[in-house]
Amino acid sequence: MKKSLFSGFLALSLILALGACGMIPTPDPTEPPKLTDPTASQKPTDPTDPPVELVDQTVSILENTSTAFRTLGRTYERNGGLACDYSCTGIEFKALCEGDIYLHIEATAQAYLTVYIDGERSEDRVSIVPETPLVRIASDVEYGEHTIMIVNQTQFPLATMVMHSIMLTGNLMDKPADRELFIEFYGDSILHGSNIYKGGTSAATSDATCAFGWVAAQQLGTDCSLIGRGGLGLVKSKLSYNMLDIYDLCGSISLKNVPKYDFARQPDAVVILLGTNDYLNGGLSSTPEVYSAGVEDFIGILREKYGAEVPIVWIYGHRNDGSDFWEATKEALDGLKAAGGDNIHYCHVSEAYCPKSEGGDGLHPDKKRAEIMGQEVADFLEDLLK
């Protein structure tokens, strides 16, 4: 017993001495962390048991997506990590942990993350830059079981990112289950949160996790996937590609060797907000007939992938109810419904763009208007999916 007490006292004295000398190691944000084996950690059993001894570990995300990390949205492998090109992609995991939690992440440019701890959204955005691959995503977490979700705010034209590993003091738990319902969104800048904080479109002013799609999904408690980007048209825009070129990709069309999506998880609803850029850039792709044909083609593709039972919802009203692009869309959808496509729906939302007189650009919603739009979409989907 005396020997045990003496050994413990000696170890404690050494720790205190190292701390006093500044020799306790802290993560270097410019260096990728060394990986550890998450299977070596202990896991909690009964909450009445004595506290579980926690271990410092760094865990590969990609290597543990089947056991510990649930992926959000369309992701794929790139550079040895989990590529999160599309807005609102990311990870969710559970851990018995305490203290600070770090993420090793590779970014091509300035980008931002949203972090949820036990369902509560952190007030501060997490900024990531290429020169600092190790970022702290949570501070001073209390000892206990926690669910952590890390979500990409930034659309792929502004930056792309690869999540490599999590560093924490704690033990990973079993992978969280998927939510019961899943909604797939296809859209342009309004879906992806362009200029939502005003001041022009940039990573700093954009946030897809405050835009209507993510807001609606969180309101309903569903999983979701966002496909598209700002400036995107259905048939034609200022870009060299359109939705019909990227709908089946797992990530940015601008990158090489991006895999095709497998469409394995059938959504409970598909929501579409497209047409604005077709209308603004090319006058409905030269003719309303060309645009209407594109609407029919896209609906046909979705029906081929998911079948006729999945509801398809087209959003309108966010700019002008009576504009030509909506009339052309409605004409095409009405034709499909008349041909037996009963599971096609229109969702009207409030006019959402923030005028220049209020600091907006007259094209996109600000955060307040995006939240209203998200609630309207959530209410519509809730009634539809009853």
Side-chain angles (χ1 to χ4, degrees), residues 295-318:
V295 173
E296 294 178 5
D297 288 345
F298 191 38
I299 298 296
I301 289 169
L302 295 173
R303 286 288 181 239
E304 181 183 348
K305 298 296 183 183
Y306 294 132
E309 300 305 313
V310 175
I312 295 177
V313 178
W314 205 290
I315 293 177
Y316 74 103
H318 56 288

Side-chain angles (χ1 to χ4, degrees), residues 8 22 42 60 67 82 106 110 113 144 163 186 197 283 293 307 315 336 350 374 377:
Q42 297 173 312
S60 166
T67 58
L82 187 75
E106 172 189 349
Q110 171 81 65
L113 303 171
M163 298 185 183
Y186 294 85
Y197 296 125
I315 293 177
L336 292 172
S350 302
V377 173

Side-chain angles (χ1 to χ4, degrees), residues 91-356:
I91 59 171
E92 182 182 39
F93 63 96
K94 293 182 178 181
L96 176 69
C97 59
E98 64 180 0
D100 296 348
I101 302 174
Y102 292 85
L103 171 68
H104 175 213
I105 186 167
E106 172 189 349
T108 58
Q110 171 81 65
Y112 292 87
L113 303 171
T114 297
V115 177
Y116 294 81
I117 300 178
D118 300 326
E120 294 294 324
R121 180 177 177 136
S122 297
E123 293 183 4
D124 295 330
R125 314 167 76 188
V126 176
S127 172
I128 55 176
V129 291
E131 57 269 24
T132 307
L134 192 64
V135 294
R136 182 166 53 193
I137 60 165
S139 303
D140 300 323
V141 175
E142 293 185 359
Y143 176 93
E145 296 180 10
H146 298 284
T147 300
I148 293 124
M149 187 161 62
I150 307 170
V151 189
N152 175 18
Q153 295 184 3
T154 306
Q155 53 185 301
F156 71 77
L158 303 175
T160 59
M161 62 184 70
V162 178
M163 298 185 183
H164 285 282
S165 60
I166 289 291
M167 177 188 290
L168 79 169
T169 300
N171 309 313
L172 292 180
M173 302 171 66
D174 291 336
K175 176 181 175 178
D178 287 338
R179 296 177 179 180
E180 182 180 356
L181 298 180
F182 169 53
I183 302 171
E184 199 167 61
F185 292 89
Y186 294 85
D188 52 30
S189 55
I190 295 177
L191 175 64
H192 297 278
S194 294
N195 202 24
I196 209 161
Y197 296 125
K198 306 176 185 178
T201 298
S202 67
T205 61
S206 301
D207 183 352
T209 66
C210 285
F212 82 88
W214 180 261
V215 169
Q218 299 315 296
Q219 183 70 26
L220 295 169
T222 70
D223 283 335
C224 67
S225 180
L226 276 59
I227 301 95
R229 55 154 291 179
L232 190 68
L234 174 62
V235 178
K236 184 178 181 181
S237 67
K238 291 181 179 179
L239 304 175
S240 60
Y241 52 88
N242 55 57
M243 181 59 79
L244 295 175
D245 297 312
I246 72 168
Y247 76 92
D248 60 348
L249 295 179
C250 286
S252 170
I253 191 173
S254 302
L255 300 173
K256 294 181 179 179
N257 303 318
V258 174
K260 297 283 189 178
Y261 181 59
D262 60 11
F263 295 91
R265 187 178 182 186
Q266 181 162 306
D268 295 277
V270 174
V271 178
I272 303 169
L273 189 153
L274 286 167
T276 303
N277 290 298
D278 295 83
Y279 179 70
L280 294 176
N281 303 288
L284 290 171
S285 309
S286 299
T287 66
E289 290 75 19
V290 172
Y291 176 77
S292 296
V295 173
E296 294 178 5
D297 288 345
F298 191 38
I299 298 296
I301 289 169
L302 295 173
R303 286 288 181 239
E304 181 183 348
K305 298 296 183 183
Y306 294 132
E309 300 305 313
V310 175
I312 295 177
V313 178
W314 205 290
I315 293 177
Y316 74 103
H318 56 288
R319 286 189 56 78
N320 274 297
D321 291 355
S323 63
D324 291 343
F325 81 87
W326 166 241
E327 290 303 319
T329 302
K330 188 173 184 299
E331 181 181 344
L333 295 178
D334 284 344
L336 292 172
K337 291 181 72 173
D342 292 335
N343 224 351
I344 295 174
H345 308 268
Y346 314 137
C347 173
H348 181 271
V349 296
S350 302
E351 196 168 85
Y353 67 88
C354 183
K356 294 181 179 179

Side-chain angles (χ1 to χ4, degrees), residues 34-52:
K34 296 180 179 179
L35 299 179
T36 53
D37 182 4
T39 62
S41 63
Q42 297 173 312
K43 294 186 177 181
T45 53
D46 189 308
T48 61
D49 289 344
V52 175

